[in-house]
Amino acid sequence: MFKRACLALVLLAGAFITVLSPAPAHAMTDSWAGWAPISGTSNDYSTTMTQRSAGFPRAEMASDSRANVALPSGASTFLDTSTPPGAKYGSSRGSAYINLRPKADTPSGASTTTYAFENPTPDTGWAFVLGDIDSDQVQILATDENGGPVPAAEISSWFQGSFNYAGGADQPTWNAATSTLTGNPTAADTNGASGWYEPDIRITSLSFVFTRRAGFPVYQTWFVSRARPISGTVSDVSTSGSCPVEDAVLTLVSPYGETLATTSPAADGTYSFGEYATQDGYTVRLSRPESCATVGTAEAVVSNRGNDGDPASRADFEVRQVIPQPISGTVRDDAGAPVPGATVTLSRPDGTTATTTTDVDGGYLFDDNDTGTGYSVTLTVPDGYNGGPDGTTRSDITVADDPVAGQDFVVNQLASVSGTVTGGGNGLGGVQVRLVPAGGGDPITTVTDGDGTYLLDGVPPGDYTAEIDAPEGYSGATSRPVAVAASDVTGVDFDLTRPGAVAGQVTDASSGAPVAGVTVTVEGPDGPVAVTTDDAGGYVVEDLPPGDYTITVTAPDGTRVVGEPTRTVTITSAGEIRGGQDFRLDEVASPSPTPTPTPDPTPDPTPAPGPTDVPVPGGNENPPTAPDPGPSTEISPQSSLPETGGPSWVFAALGVSLMLAGTVLTVTARRRARRHG
């Protein structure tokens, strides 16, 4: 409660200062990530993290964090412009972040949260922040663009420093050798201790291994990215007539072949695709107006890593009115689909050459050709294809008074190999898949998407071995032979297994406080395993093979288990983590003392000091058994009489009767005396 109150005061003060102080200037194109709703249950959560910069690959998140995983809105907890990441990328206020926990609240119950990107990330212009690392620690792991592990030394180069977003003095420390961010030395549960990172290589997955050191741990994660424009100009360089540049179509392609956007120039030839995530390798392709020819290449590779207006982020093209006589054709695959970006070379009779690339429709055109014979056109077969049945050269072309069309090529698309890598019943993202040629040579590699699927395009015919690197904690077959011919090969799957786990917490039923030192026994196919709860009342038993398991809590002396002290769970080959196996303890009430009656038949008119359940000295040492008096009530000794073995009301009634009889006799005697007097 104190911690929350302090946080509220700090945030209120920060908001007040923000209102009074002008915010520092920052690029409006820097945006904090968004999240899809969380799905799953304890120890099996998933969601999608999407950077708001267009062109940044989305990431599928999977976590074995225990409950409760949450997506706070960022309205009350955020990174303002006084923090290092906020100063560079702008405040995260109003942008959601994710709260995650360990697998179990024990030192051995670390959770692993993996973000598997659908394509390799940019190698600049984005960051992530780990927050509230005070009594805990987080190890950072990653895979590179080929799916290989990123060394700790490389990850350490991403570390930009630690800070405290709540204004406190507590900051975590960074261990470069183990790529681990650790909270304060005393494992005190403070607030706002954070570290931030800017990756400088392309990665395909990012994992956080979160370990509790003390308290009730939780940590936060933010993502942010930077976008910059991609633009250019299509110029008409016709010497006679004109080319309608506004009829051109430009296509933006990602570094991984995905079509991101199309646009057309304004009347002055300028165009812009807007802002995209900063990286190298974008391709802009020009589809010329129908009545125009492209001067030079019809595609350009651009980079928007630099500042706004950087020439590297521009793709400029030239077109002109067609000059007789043109030679044209198309490049298509064996299924009839256009092949854009293929390089085609024209050789003229005078020994000169010209080179262009096919547009998005697979078409190409060379103009300004003199009449004559001896022209030839050659196709450079693009990656992922083989030459078609008609070869890759068209020779002995004659240019006369009419355009030369129909110089077409067909290429055969190489086969693909696809499959799924699963583990624990779920798809595993970020796993490297390799096709190793049987005859030697470089392997063809890729990385699984967030759902565990993968696709290797353009695989030449031959015999291969498909291999994967099993993630830590998983086992099973990691290689299998694959024969590739002309057709696609599907279903090259890998089904990994992992051991399961049982975890929970023991608490006090009345206060809810954790109870340490309680013995919990988990018995299954391999026999019983006994553990004791830690300071947080937690326990976890890992590396459990499939089977039925009985969990039994041994209540310490003076306590009892509320409800059943034993329960049964099942772990399958999917390796479930059976968390939430919680138990509550209650104190056992002390038994009420049993009154011991005294069998003395003579009532003692003198009240005896002492409680009613204390026998009179000298009484019967073996009194008859008395009925259970029920719950004892504390009564003053002076207000009660000692038990004598019989009901005390009998003697009271007898005394009253004797007094009444005596009164009657006295009255009668007096009347007689008066009568005789």
Side-chain angles (χ1 to χ4, degrees), residues 310-353:
D310 189 322
S313 66
R314 296 182 55 83
D316 297 327
F317 301 94
E318 293 181 341
V319 294
R320 69 184 179 203
Q321 189 178 32
V322 174
I323 300 175
Q325 288 296 335
I327 299 173
S328 63
T330 62
V331 179
R332 297 183 178 277
D333 67 16
D334 47 350
V339 179
T343 300
V344 183
T345 302
L346 172 69
S347 298
R348 296 186 171 98
D350 61 4
T352 61
T353 61

Side-chain angles (χ1 to χ4, degrees), residues 327-331 341-348 352-358 362 364-366 374-382 387-388 390-397 407-411:
I327 299 173
S328 63
T330 62
V331 179
T343 300
V344 183
T345 302
L346 172 69
S347 298
R348 296 186 171 98
T352 61
T353 61
T355 300
T356 190
T357 52
T358 55
Y364 71 91
L365 181 145
F366 298 100
Y375 287 88
S376 65
V377 179
T378 302
L379 168 70
T380 300
V381 179
D390 296 328
T392 58
T393 299
R394 301 290 177 265
S395 57
D396 297 328
I397 299 172
Q407 304 303 304
D408 302 335
F409 297 93
V410 175
V411 291

Side-chain angles (χ1 to χ4, degrees), residues 448-487:
T448 57
D449 292 337
D451 60 359
T453 60
Y454 72 90
L455 174 67
L456 290 160
D457 275 325
V459 180
D463 293 328
Y464 297 85
T465 298
E467 300 177 345
I468 64 168
D469 294 325
E472 184 177 356
Y474 292 88
S475 61
T478 58
S479 66
R480 54 181 296 181
V482 178
V484 178
S487 300

Side-chain angles (χ1 to χ4, degrees), residues 29 55 69 119 150 177-178 228 265 329 332 354 464 481 512 591 600 614 638 640 661:
T29 51
V69 172
N119 287 312
V150 177
T178 61
R228 291 289 181 266
R332 297 183 178 277
Y464 297 85
D600 188 348
V614 178
Q638 286 77 17
S640 61

Side-chain angles (χ1 to χ4, degrees), residues 40-64:
T41 57
S42 184
N43 303 127
D44 187 15
Y45 287 106
S46 62
T47 184
T48 301
M49 185 276 293
T50 304
Q51 294 274 30
R52 299 187 189 277
S53 297
F56 199 108
R58 68 179 182 180
E60 299 297 329
M61 187 218 79
S63 179
D64 59 4

